[in-house]
Amino acid sequence: MFLINCPFCGEREQSEFKAGGEAHIERPKQPTELSDDEWAEFLFMRKNIKGVQFERWNHAHGCRKWFNIARDTSNDQIKAVYKMGEKPPVK
Amino acid sequence: MSKNLRFKSSKLVDETYRISFKFNNKTYYGYKGDTLASALLANDVHLVGRSFKYHRPRGIMTAGSEEPNAIIQLHDNTSRTEPNVRATEIEIYEGLVASSQNCWPSVNFDIGGINNILSPILPAGFYYKTFMWPKSFWEKYEYFIRKSAGLGKSPKEADPDIYEHKYIHCDVLIIGAGISGIMAAKMSAKNGLKTLLVDEKSFLGGSTIYDNSEFSKINNQITSSWLEKEINEISKLENLEIKTRTSVAAFHGYNFLLARENLTDHLPINQRENKIRHRLLKIRAKKVISATGAMERPLIFDNNDRPGILLSSAIKKYIDLYGVACGENNILFTNNDTAYETAMSLVQRGIKVNAIIDNREQIDSKLSYEVEKNNIRIFKGYTVVDTYGYKRINGLTIMELSKDGQKVIGKKIKLSCDSLGVSGGWTPAVHLFTQSGGKLKFREDDQVFIPNKYPSDQLSVGSCNGDLGLDEITINTVLSVKKFLNINNTDYKTFEIVTAINKSKRNIWLLPSNKILGKTKSFVDYQNDATAKDIKLALREGFRSIEHVKRYTTTGMGTDQGKLGNMHALGIISETAGTKMGEHGTTTFRPPYTPLTFGTIVGRNVGEFFDIIRRTPIHDWHVANNAKFENVGQWKRAWYYPNKNENMHQAVQRESKAARDCAGILDASTLGKIDIQGTDASEFLNRVYTNAWSKLAIGKCRYGLMLNEDGMVYDDGVTTRLDENHYIMTTTTGGAANVLGKLEDYLQTEWPELDVYLSSVTDHYATISVCGPHSKKIVSKVIPDLDFSDEKFPHMSFKNTKIGQIKCRVMRISFTGEQSYEINIQSNYGKSVWEKCMEAGKDFNITPYGTETMHLLRAEKGFIIVGQDTDATMTPIDLQMNWIVSKKKYDFIGKRSLYRSDTIKDNRKQLVGLLTENPEEVLEEGAQIVADIKKLPIEMLGHVTSSYYSPNLNKSIALGVVKGGKKMLGQKLIIPMENKNINVTVADPVFLDKKGERLNAKL
Ligand SMILES: [Zn+2]
């Protein structure tokens, strides 16, 4: 079970958090302008990589804030934690 | 007793404290400190069970948690009975009752033993290949297979014992209190680190604690004495907590570990009252040191599984630690020096060692000379080719090994024995290390896997790290622990080690035989009866990955996870396939290391603490008025209120009729309520609901439908505009938490520019819904100051008002289609207002109704229930709810998905009404809907989602989803049931009051 360093509360047990899938997928501003394929890209297509993956997490049983983490899926190490809207601090 | 197998002055056993116990209905005696295994062996009982597949007689094989055979059923008492207990782990206590598993009718006469004779036709995968096809055959065999296989009996009554969970945080956790664990603990604690040392045994010191021969010394002291002094010293250290009988079950990432502390299983039953039985420790350690030791490997040869065949280290442990001899005429079979230590332990007690069979041609250690001095015959370069004795070994034959170890040569020699100790060398116990994600490397010299890469802040020391000699253990433990803990000072300076062991070894995974492989039974996994032949068969049939071979042959799939034989399985695979060890993967060990009881896993979360129970503020009234409850999420909701002698159907029919004819009252407090405030609140609602919200006037209510981005219906409910920038949203009971989470997500991540604040207020308000033609009269009596006229207070509007001095909100909204008022008041007044309504409604036959009637009434109106009439594949268009989807709004969640190529297909499943040909016939919810039953295979068009008998329409009504249903109005369809086909007609889903006149009905 991970220890996650919530940017607002500090280090807490994973059980306090909820995972929210891949990060940095922005909802299109003008969905009506998009073709079916473009909309499907946003709606369904997600990466599933071995290595550092950027993910959304929510401190559901804490401050309820959403934030991003960079996690290495091969060993579960969290390389960075950063706020919504910020750029990932690692590659 | 004819044999004398009990010897005095052992390490663990208290000979002044005699204990009686029962095994397979016979009474035996042992001493305090004995395990069930040691006590049985002292009574010359080796046969303790039958193997799983062939039902071969099996005996005690080890002296620890790796035991594959001696798996017993504990207790007769049905509530405490426990299967799969290892006799080698359970300590005896007065009154212990145990019996064999895997045998029917008894261990001495076993019907399944016929499988042993049939075994040529029972190869690997036999059960898959034979009994699963045709399916009807499996049904016939299953009963007998299950009965005769027997996996122990689970208790039929509730567990009377108490369990608990405890969180522990420490600087350093040390797993295993053998010599390296003890040394690591001392170094850690003496340097000011908060240290926890755990060991699964009842005593400290591991196997070194009985390393008591003259040939093994540390700093001029016999090794076991040196270690005893160390143990004495650490037990006084302040920073160190020591927990025995504590087995680490799981080693997760981030140094999070689960351990089971066993507190009472060794006590006499009458001393366990009101005590915690097991404690599940949830340990978060900054650093972890694994000192889990090593396990002795068996050897793989024909008939290597007879009772009386043990690991040679187990024989040594039983004599040194428990004072128990496993036989009077011992033979040891080995490929390394370990068995010679066992021989010396036996000889020193005057126990006969008939011979040592050694795979090695050259043996050159001080120990082997000592053994020879004691006139024990050593067969160098020999192997055992067969053993004899059905329920107990009575002899064996040996042959000479060829130079390359691939064949046996020369003549067979027969030897007699009543006990055979085998040693195939040592396997580092890396189970927990690999559980944590650690990667192994293979060491060719002695054919072992050892830790290579640590996934977290952890270290392995001692024999689990591949340091198998006393010199390596002591020196390397000090060096690596110092570095790992970043400490300079320790008490350990230099070690003067004396050992008589030579590390040479001749490793042959599968020993050759004079028979062809097909005629041998060389067991690799004892518990699951997987043989070398099975593994080779799996390879012949094309399996390559160890994970596949494992599943096909069931090697390593037992409760012991194949702790003994996994290495041999890997070895045989790599030899057969001609590949390097580890190339086909190593098997993955998964938690728990040893099985945990369910009691330990759930701890105190049993009975009413199993899950949170949410009760409404009016709950007590429902209880007092005979309500039956149903669980909706964590809520207890009143389901129906049967009068005397009424069944559910009768109660629901009565309630449903009363609600439409007179008045009904419903506790709707469980509906989710979200308070929404902020200058962008209207814009926010525009974006999350499918319909438009900007123009909703203050004081008005509106029904809203919420979608996911994929266009599928997610939740629904009525939202009321309380003020310019203030709304209260209601959600479904089950959806409340998820809806709040979803709204927060959008606000924080997609639309942070919006000025909107959300608060969950579900528990803050009690919600009482009064409906029916008399509802207005009733609420007018409860709130006389409020003008309830249709002009002042029309449908879909709300008023702030007071009941007495207490502020409340009244909404005129309806989920039944009747004129209906919903009073929302601070929770703690809920019950008193409910009672006021009941009092006011007395003259109008006000009838409390539960969720079942609510569902019936809304179905009459064709109102959907999200999650019952919808699943995650229904769009509002599929639900025939186009009216609620705004065409004008530029965007809302899910809008774009409503015209994807898939969602605009016209043969999607769509919500329709269904009327049965026979109005008395009520459909089964979930039943399939078809059009043509003649054309095979029958095409499934959809299913029934809601179905009731309507007392207000006097007929059966149903909702269902049907492919292309919208265009099928009036069409006949069929509901095929087990013994009949029911004819139905597709109808409009609104069955009652299509014009909505009842919303303003007056009586
Ligand atoms: Zn937080």
Side-chain angles (χ1 to χ4, degrees):
Chain A
M1 203 160 48
F2 313 163
L3 278 176
I4 298 173
N5 194 11
C6 170
F8 307 94
C9 309
E11 206 171 57
R12 297 287 191 278
E13 292 268 344
Q14 185 188 343
S15 56
E16 292 186 15
F17 297 86
K18 201 175 94 180
E22 189 180 333
H24 305 296
I25 295 175
E26 203 177 334
R27 186 176 190 272
K29 289 275 183 293
Q30 294 166 318
T32 47
E33 315 280 300
L34 302 182
S35 68
D36 269 12
D37 284 351
E38 287 166 329
W39 180 246
E41 186 67 31
F42 157 73
L43 204 53
F44 302 121
M45 304 314 280
R46 295 295 181 270
K47 289 186 199 119
N48 181 18
I49 48 172
K50 183 176 181 183
V52 177
Q53 175 166 289
F54 303 106
E55 301 171 337
R56 286 153 29 90
W57 283 75
N58 178 234
H59 196 184
H61 299 284
C63 64
R64 291 192 69 82
K65 287 280 192 189
W66 283 91
F67 56 89
N68 294 324
I69 71 172
R71 179 175 67 98
D72 189 332
T73 58
S74 68
N75 58 16
D76 281 341
Q77 272 181 29
I78 296 172
K79 303 283 183 194
V81 176
Y82 55 104
K83 290 179 185 170
M84 278 294 158
E86 289 177 0
K87 288 222 161 60
V90 289
K91 271 221 162 170
Chain B
M1 185 152 306
S2 54
K3 293 184 183 176
N4 176 27
L5 298 166
R6 180 70 80 169
F7 293 78
K8 279 195 184 303
S9 64
S10 62
K11 271 246 150 57
L12 270 189
V13 166
D14 178 358
E15 285 143 37
T16 62
Y17 194 132
R18 202 169 82 139
I19 290 172
S20 74
F21 65 97
K22 268 190 179 167
F23 181 68
N24 285 340
N25 295 319
K26 201 173 160 197
T27 301
Y28 296 97
Y29 296 94
Y31 297 109
K32 193 176 181 202
D34 265 327
T35 61
L36 179 58
S38 70
L40 286 171
L41 291 170
N43 285 283
D44 204 23
V45 177
H46 276 257
L47 173 63
V48 289
R50 293 273 177 164
S51 70
F52 183 67
K53 193 159 119 190
Y54 303 128
H55 288 248
R56 284 169 69 99
R58 288 284 165 81
I60 296 157
M61 217 183 147
T62 73
S65 58
E66 69 271 38
E67 175 63 37
N69 288 341
I71 308 290
I72 54 104
Q73 180 91 26
L74 200 61
H75 301 302
D76 268 352
N77 172 334
T78 51
S79 64
R80 282 204 166 90
T81 192
E82 189 174 338
N84 301 324
V85 176
R86 286 165 299 282
T88 50
E89 285 199 302
I90 191 83
E91 295 165 59
I92 60 164
Y93 48 83
E94 192 58 48
L96 181 147
V97 176
S99 51
S100 297
Q101 273 177 209
N102 281 3
C103 45
W104 175 66
S106 82
V107 72
N108 279 304
F109 175 75
D110 185 301
I111 276 184
I114 195 112
N115 284 358
N116 190 22
I117 298 154
L118 294 177
S119 68
I121 63 157
L122 278 174
F126 175 75
Y127 285 79
Y128 294 125
K129 287 171 184 160
T130 311
F131 291 138
M132 299 315 273
W133 185 263
K135 192 174 165 284
S136 57
F137 269 60
W138 170 245
E139 283 162 9
K140 290 189 181 75
Y141 288 133
E142 190 186 10
Y143 171 79
F144 290 102
I145 289 173
R146 293 223 186 277
K147 182 160 183 161
S148 54
L151 289 162
K153 290 169 286 188
S154 44
K156 293 201 167 67
E157 288 165 31
D159 189 338
D161 286 317
I162 309 167
Y163 303 83
E164 70 172 23
H165 291 179
K166 186 183 178 185
Y167 286 89
I168 294 183
H169 297 264
C170 58
D171 293 325
V172 182
L173 167 70
I174 296 157
I175 311 164
I179 181 166
S180 48
I182 299 280
M183 290 170 64
K186 184 170 154 185
M187 289 190 271
S188 171
K190 277 201 155 184
N191 278 279
L193 296 164
K194 192 184 163 198
T195 308
L196 174 64
L197 172 66
V198 301
D199 195 285
E200 62 182 2
K201 298 272 167 27
S202 61
F203 57 92
L204 300 176
S207 59
T208 313
I209 204 67
Y210 51 92
D211 192 359
N212 49 5
S213 84
E214 282 293 327
F215 313 108
S216 170
K217 283 183 178 168
I218 298 177
N219 299 344
N220 287 321
Q221 298 167 59
I222 288 181
T223 301
S224 61
S225 316
W226 180 88
L227 188 58
E228 264 167 30
K229 283 183 195 143
E230 292 292 302
I231 291 169
N232 267 333
E233 196 185 337
I234 65 159
S235 52
K236 291 168 201 139
L237 293 179
E238 252 181 36
N239 278 327
L240 178 64
E241 187 178 0
I242 301 171
K243 285 183 181 292
T244 53
R245 299 189 178 94
T246 300
S247 141
V248 173
F251 190 165
H252 296 294
Y254 289 70
N255 284 352
F256 180 72
L257 298 96
L258 297 174
R260 189 244 351 251
E261 188 179 12
N262 194 335
L263 298 164
T264 61
D265 281 355
H266 60 292
L267 299 177
I269 299 279
N270 61 10
Q271 286 176 32
R272 301 182 187 184
E273 200 77 0
N274 297 324
K275 286 186 185 141
I276 290 155
R277 183 182 173 209
H278 294 164
R279 188 179 281 143
L280 187 70
L281 307 175
K282 300 178 174 183
I283 306 167
R284 187 69 83 163
K286 287 194 187 121
K287 287 169 180 281
V288 177
I289 298 176
S290 295
T292 46
M295 284 170 192
E296 196 173 20
R297 292 177 191 168
L299 290 163
I300 312 300
F301 54 95
D302 192 17
N303 290 316
N304 59 347
D305 67 325
R306 300 195 189 282
I309 301 179
L310 293 91
L311 294 178
S312 89
S313 62
I315 293 179
K316 175 168 161 59
K317 186 170 174 180
Y318 283 120
I319 190 66
D320 287 341
L321 214 47
Y322 302 96
V324 173
C326 295
E328 290 181 322
N329 182 20
N330 298 275
I331 293 182
L332 297 162
F333 178 27
T334 187
N335 65 12
N336 68 95
D337 262 9
T338 311
Y340 294 80
E341 293 183 290
T342 307
M344 289 312 295
S345 279
L346 293 172
V347 169
Q348 276 161 9
R349 304 261 187 168
I351 302 163
K352 185 181 168 193
V353 178
N354 192 2
I356 296 183
I357 325 293
D358 199 322
N359 287 162
R360 297 174 295 179
E361 289 166 334
Q362 300 284 322
I363 305 154
D364 180 28
S365 66
K366 218 173 133 193
L367 207 51
S368 65
Y369 302 137
E370 282 301 321
V371 165
E372 277 178 327
K373 262 192 236 166
N374 283 281
N375 297 320
I376 298 170
R377 189 159 172 208
I378 304 176
F379 290 90
K380 296 177 188 175
Y382 272 75
T383 183
V384 175
V385 291
D386 203 353
T387 64
Y388 310 100
Y390 185 57
K391 290 176 191 168
R392 173 77 180 268
I393 188 169
N394 58 28
L396 48 82
T397 44
I398 62 172
M399 287 176 82
E400 204 178 339
L401 281 166
S402 63
K403 282 268 175 272
D404 61 1
Q406 301 285 308
K407 288 194 296 278
V408 282
I409 48 178
K411 276 189 178 160
K412 279 197 266 185
I413 302 171
K414 188 163 180 182
L415 301 167
S416 72
C417 67
D418 63 351
S419 153
L420 173 66
V422 295
S423 176
W426 293 84
T427 300
V430 293
H431 310 71
L432 292 171
F433 168 79
T434 58
Q435 269 189 29
S436 77
K439 296 280 174 284
L440 300 167
K441 65 179 171 208
F442 189 66
R443 189 166 73 190
E444 290 284 347
D445 299 356
D446 54 350
Q447 305 276 303
V448 291
F449 283 104
I450 53 173
N452 188 25
K453 255 177 104 178
Y454 296 111
S456 62
D457 205 357
Q458 57 167 297
L459 177 75
S460 291
V461 294
S463 47
C464 73
N465 194 39
D467 291 339
L468 297 168
L470 197 52
D471 42 356
E472 293 167 327
I473 290 173
T474 45
I475 294 161
N476 292 347
T477 298
V478 172
L479 281 177
S480 61
V481 170
K482 268 171 92 169
K483 194 170 160 217
F484 178 63
L485 299 180
N486 197 19
I487 54 179
N488 292 317
N489 297 323
T490 74
D491 296 348
Y492 303 119
K493 305 294 177 223
T494 51
F495 294 99
E496 223 177 281
I497 304 291
V498 174
T499 168
I501 284 194
N502 181 313
K503 281 169 198 157
S504 81
K505 180 176 168 184
R506 186 182 189 186
N507 196 80
I508 302 169
W509 293 116
L510 171 59
L511 290 161
S513 170
N514 55 326
K515 298 179 211 155
I516 57 161
L517 186 67
K519 298 271 184 208
T520 63
K521 277 210 191 69
S522 311
F523 288 91
V524 176
D525 182 318
Y526 300 84
Q527 195 174 104
N528 276 337
D529 270 352
T531 62
K533 180 175 61 186
D534 293 330
I535 291 170
K536 294 213 172 194
L537 175 70
L539 288 166
R540 269 210 311 282
E541 294 192 354
F543 293 93
R544 282 295 174 271
S545 157
I546 177 66
E547 294 295 345
H548 291 153
V549 173
K550 202 174 136 177
R551 277 156 187 80
Y552 191 60
T553 61
T554 70
T555 304
M557 305 287 281
T559 56
D560 61 342
Q561 293 195 35
K563 290 187 180 85
L564 290 183
N566 269 330
M567 282 302 292
H568 305 84
L570 288 169
I572 293 167
I573 289 168
S574 82
E575 269 176 7
T576 311
T579 53
K580 280 202 172 126
M581 279 293 274
E583 203 171 286
H584 294 293
T586 53
T587 63
T588 314
F589 295 102
R590 294 190 175 82
Y593 177 65
T594 49
L596 295 174
T597 62
F598 282 111
T600 311
I601 294 164
V602 297
R604 300 270 177 167
N605 302 320
V606 290
E608 64 174 311
F609 301 117
F610 182 70
D611 194 11
I612 292 163
I613 295 174
R614 298 174 82 183
R615 297 181 181 86
T616 77
I618 309 161
H619 184 84
D620 291 349
W621 190 93
H622 305 318
V623 173
N625 286 272
N626 197 30
K628 299 283 176 249
F629 291 89
E630 77 167 328
N631 296 327
V632 182
Q634 291 169 328
W635 288 101
K636 292 275 173 210
R637 291 201 74 177
W639 194 11
Y640 59 97
Y641 301 80
N643 286 340
K644 234 189 192 172
N645 303 328
E646 257 182 355
N647 62 23
M648 177 170 165
H649 176 73
Q650 290 162 333
V652 169
Q653 294 289 305
R654 172 181 53 75
E655 289 171 15
S656 301
K657 197 137 175 51
R660 295 219 187 275
D661 291 349
C662 321
I665 181 168
L666 172 82
D667 180 359
S669 307
T670 63
L671 287 183
K673 304 173 204 74
I674 300 169
D675 187 274
I676 302 172
Q677 299 190 41
T679 52
D680 293 317
S682 302
E683 172 60 18
F684 180 62
L685 291 174
N686 267 334
R687 295 185 190 187
V688 300
Y689 278 133
T690 59
N691 46 349
W693 290 79
S694 310
K695 287 184 187 143
L696 184 71
I698 295 168
K700 294 289 182 190
C701 315
R702 183 166 285 171
Y703 173 76
L705 201 60
M706 203 180 284
L707 311 183
N708 277 325
E709 287 290 13
D710 62 5
M712 305 304 158
V713 171
Y714 182 64
D715 204 80
D716 68 346
V718 170
T719 293
T720 302
R721 190 166 199 174
L722 302 172
D723 207 336
E724 178 66 26
N725 296 321
H726 191 187
Y727 290 83
I728 182 135
M729 171 188 280
T730 57
T731 72
T732 59
T733 297
N738 290 337
V739 170
L740 179 70
K742 182 183 163 95
L743 300 184
E744 285 179 331
D745 186 353
Y746 274 92
L747 271 181
Q748 287 180 35
T749 65
E750 297 293 352
W751 308 318
E753 72 281 5
L754 292 186
D755 176 42
V756 176
Y757 302 87
L758 307 171
S759 310
S760 166
V761 293
T762 304
D763 296 273
H764 304 49
Y765 294 96
T767 305
I768 297 159
S769 172
V770 180
C771 79
H774 288 307
S775 59
K776 187 179 289 179
K777 289 177 214 157
I778 297 166
V779 288
S780 302
K781 276 172 81 178
V782 176
I783 315 171
D785 297 340
L786 189 63
D787 183 350
F788 279 95
S789 68
D790 288 350
E791 298 72 41
K792 282 281 161 56
F793 197 172
H795 181 57
M796 296 308 266
S797 64
F798 119 94
K799 298 286 175 210
N800 272 317
T801 182
K802 278 183 176 178
I803 298 176
Q805 296 302 306
I806 311 306
K807 281 196 260 180
C808 67
R809 293 173 182 153
V810 183
M811 279 87 168
R812 186 168 167 188
I813 52 178
S814 175
F815 189 42
T816 59
E818 293 300 311
Q819 184 172 163
S820 161
Y821 298 87
E822 222 178 81
I823 303 169
N824 286 273
I825 192 156
Q826 194 180 310
S827 280
N828 48 333
Y829 296 105
K831 188 164 164 254
S832 97
V833 171
W834 175 280
E835 283 163 346
K836 275 191 168 60
C837 292
M838 287 302 296
E839 180 61 29
K842 225 159 53 180
D843 302 336
F844 307 102
N845 186 28
I846 191 169
T847 301
Y849 67 90
T851 49
E852 192 63 23
T853 292
M854 174 183 84
H855 288 170
L856 191 161
L857 295 172
R858 64 85 209 180
E860 290 176 336
K861 285 291 296 175
F863 294 151
I864 58 156
I865 290 184
V866 173
Q868 176 165 344
D869 301 297
T870 73
D871 50 25
T873 66
M874 300 296 286
T875 68
I877 317 302
D878 299 336
L879 293 169
Q880 307 215 41
M881 290 173 81
N882 310 46
W883 55 271
I884 202 170
V885 181
S886 164
K887 297 233 160 38
K888 287 188 200 140
K889 282 200 294 183
Y890 178 70
D891 191 15
F892 56 81
I893 296 172
K895 178 178 169 112
R896 176 61 186 82
S897 291
L898 295 180
Y899 53 93
R900 289 180 55 239
S901 57
D902 185 55
T903 47
I904 54 173
K905 279 184 194 156
D906 52 13
N907 69 337
R908 289 176 60 80
K909 284 185 184 171
Q910 291 150 351
L911 186 82
V912 294
L914 298 166
L915 290 171
T916 48
E917 195 175 69
N918 169 5
E920 298 300 313
E921 179 105 59
V922 179
L923 298 174
E924 231 173 81
E925 285 173 0
Q928 293 293 318
I929 303 171
V930 306
D932 188 349
I933 49 169
K934 296 214 177 74
K935 197 180 144 229
L936 298 178
I938 300 177
E939 191 193 359
M940 303 292 175
L941 296 180
H943 65 276
V944 178
T945 59
S946 294
S947 174
Y948 305 91
Y949 186 82
S950 161
N952 299 302
L953 297 157
N954 290 315
K955 64 180 178 189
S956 151
I957 57 165
L959 298 172
V961 291
V962 178
K963 272 186 200 162
K966 267 193 229 178
K967 286 186 181 156
M968 290 186 175
L969 206 62
Q971 198 172 314
K972 300 251 188 273
L973 293 174
I974 298 163
I975 316 282
M977 299 303 289
E978 201 176 357
N979 42 22
K980 63 182 167 185
N981 295 317
I982 303 168
N983 296 320
V984 295
T985 308
V986 177
D988 188 305
V990 186
F991 299 101
L992 181 130
D993 187 25
K994 284 192 175 45
K995 288 183 187 153
E997 286 162 343
R998 301 183 68 94
L999 291 168
N1000 293 303
K1002 292 182 183 68
L1003 274 183

